[in-house]
Amino acid sequence: MSGDTSPSVDARTDRSRLAELPTRERLVAAAADLLQVQGYAGTGIAEILGLSGVTKGSLYFHFPGGKEELAAEALRLRGKEIGRLIERLASSAPDAATAVSAFAVALATRLEDSEFQRGCALATAVLDAGPEATAVRGAVRSGYDRWRELLTERIAADGVVDDPASEALLVLSALEGALILARAQRDPAPVLQVAKRITSQWLERKPGATRAERTQ
């Protein structure tokens, strides 16, 4: 996106790049990075301030609700980044199977490139957010809902499954679980394997699919 100052979803935090951002965006970018690695409970205000180089007064000026309000905004950022990735892959791929496979490759590559520190920011944050963190859970839910919507649209366009929405939920759930396993095992294989298992079934039902497509 032209003129988009949001940090790349797969990049490690670059302090020099953060310094170039306006104060509010710097706080959001720093919080997003820390949440993706450490989760919500494991990320403190002091760490966000240290990484962003912003004062506590400035943080509360931009986010009067403190850590929870900032975290929710950071998670919305991560959700939008992944949403844009899904949109790009869905629009450029010839079918849903290719799009989902490419999505899995992107997730696995980014996890491996981060030395298995950065899985899904939404999952990492919500897993240890308490019931009182309603804004955080709301931001995560919105992100997942959008990803599922995009996947549903692409799967429906192929017409190879009876219930695209349920199939999109299966894809999302499988990839999220696989990311956790991949991070724990320090091996991206689970992410690629679940994508292949699901998409191979679509290819088998695809009219006119070649033998190579069915076994890819």
Side-chain angles (χ1 to χ4, degrees), residues 47-135:
E47 290 177 289
I48 297 171
L49 297 177
L51 183 58
S52 65
V54 173
T55 65
K56 182 180 288 189
S58 292
L59 186 153
Y60 283 100
F61 173 79
H62 290 286
F63 298 97
K67 175 184 169 181
E68 184 177 355
E69 184 182 352
L70 173 55
E73 183 63 23
L75 293 168
R76 281 190 287 271
L77 168 68
R78 283 294 190 254
K80 289 175 182 177
E81 288 174 340
I82 291 295
R84 288 196 294 268
L85 173 63
I86 295 172
E87 284 184 290
R88 178 171 59 80
L89 294 174
S91 63
S92 62
D95 51 43
T98 303
V100 168
S101 296
F103 184 39
V105 169
L107 295 176
T109 300
R110 289 167 175 181
L111 178 63
E112 190 169 20
D113 286 348
S114 73
E115 297 181 356
F116 298 93
Q117 293 301 302
R118 289 167 173 77
C120 174
L122 273 58
T124 304
V126 80
L127 283 173
D128 68 354
E132 73 284 352
T134 55

Side-chain angles (χ1 to χ4, degrees), residues 152-175:
T152 298
E153 290 173 357
R154 189 62 190 85
I155 294 168
D158 282 6
V160 296
V161 298
D162 295 330
D163 189 347
S166 293
E167 199 76 4
L169 179 60
L170 172 64
V171 170
L172 190 54
S173 301
L175 288 176

Side-chain angles (χ1 to χ4, degrees), residues 19-34:
E20 296 172 358
L21 297 175
T23 300
R24 189 178 191 280
E25 285 74 11
R26 201 186 320 163
L27 283 164
V28 173
D33 189 79
L34 289 167

